[in-house]
């Protein structure tokens, strides 16, 4: 059920937290992460590893720096995640040919196979999240999120 939302900022006397878009964005993100985390358990996979596999499925290879930026994860944290994933045979890390300081990350065949299974799982959660939402509303929502991110990055 849609309700009328007040777009007042937190400093406005009529501000209501439940109507605040960024609060709802955060709560929705947390709810999505919780649903994915619960579903990933059956594959002995965690949310950060899933995120890395998705990123590598989109751009393989990627540098550690790119994965850190795109996953919104600190460099030191992503490095620990990648070490664990490499030990599990999901990825390989190799120095960039022209600069040994840069590490490229490649998804392995095992990682690709698991990613395909996880995409089916993620699609079910995606469909549940967007149930009753038109394609055009989903497109508009995505464009709004991109614009907000651009606004905040300036």
């Amino acid at each position: 059920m849609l309700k009328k939302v007040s777009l007042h900022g937190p400093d406005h006397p009529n501000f209501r937290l439940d109507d605040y878009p960024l609060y709802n964005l955060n709560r929705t993100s947390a709810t999505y992460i919780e649903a994915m985390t619960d579903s990933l358990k059956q594959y002995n996979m965690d949310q950060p590893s899933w995120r890395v596999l998705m990123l590598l499925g989109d751009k393989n290879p990627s540098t550690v720096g790119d994965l850190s930026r795109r996953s919104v994860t600190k460099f030191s944290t992503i490095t620990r995640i990648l070490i664990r994933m490499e030990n599990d045979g999901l990825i390989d890390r190799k120095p960039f040919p022209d600069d040994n300081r840069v590490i490229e990350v490649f998804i392995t065949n095992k990682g690709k196979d698991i990613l395909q299974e996880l995409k089916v799982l993620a699609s079910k959660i995606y469909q549940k999240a967007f149930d009753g939402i038109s394609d055009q509303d989903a497109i508009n929502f995505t464009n709004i999120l991109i614009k907000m991110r651009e606004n905040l990055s300036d």
Side-chain angles (χ1 to χ4, degrees):
M1 176 174 87
L2 295 177
K3 64 181 191 171
K4 185 176 179 182
V5 175
S6 172
L7 296 180
H8 300 296
D11 63 340
H12 193 278
N14 292 334
F15 174 78
R16 285 182 24 94
L17 186 61
D18 285 339
D19 295 341
Y20 191 47
L22 297 176
Y23 171 71
N24 280 289
L25 177 64
N26 189 49
R27 286 195 60 202
T28 302
S29 178
T31 304
Y32 162 76
I33 289 169
E34 183 178 337
M36 279 300 297
T37 298
D38 288 346
S39 295
L40 289 168
K41 287 178 184 174
Q42 63 186 305
Y43 291 91
N44 293 321
M45 179 71 54
D46 59 17
Q47 185 74 26
S49 299
W50 152 248
R51 193 172 295 129
V52 168
L53 287 178
M54 281 293 287
L55 292 171
L56 288 172
D58 183 57
K59 184 179 179 227
N60 184 46
S62 291
T63 66
V64 175
D66 284 342
L67 292 172
S68 174
R69 180 185 55 79
R70 292 180 71 207
S71 68
V72 193
T73 306
K74 291 180 183 177
F75 195 87
S76 59
T77 303
I78 200 76
T79 300
R80 286 192 302 273
I81 293 165
L82 295 174
I83 290 168
R84 188 177 67 243
M85 291 179 73
E86 189 170 39
N87 290 338
D88 290 342
L90 302 173
I91 59 138
D92 285 321
R93 296 178 301 150
K94 298 176 182 168
F96 191 71
D98 296 336
D99 187 347
N100 284 339
R101 296 170 297 174
V102 177
I103 303 297
E104 286 187 304
V105 181
F106 299 81
I107 191 169
T108 63
N109 287 334
K110 179 181 178 182
K112 288 176 187 176
D113 291 344
I114 290 174
L115 176 59
Q116 289 311 311
E117 291 181 45
L118 296 178
K119 282 182 175 182
V120 172
L121 177 87
S123 289
K124 291 176 185 174
I125 293 171
Y126 176 86
Q127 292 301 323
K128 184 176 181 181
F130 281 88
D131 185 39
I133 298 172
S134 72
D135 289 350
Q136 189 58 54
D137 282 347
I139 291 167
N140 291 341
F141 177 64
T142 301
N143 287 330
I144 289 167
L145 291 173
I146 291 168
K147 178 62 177 164
M148 289 173 65
R149 190 171 60 244
E150 288 171 355
N151 289 346
L152 292 169
S153 296
D154 291 343

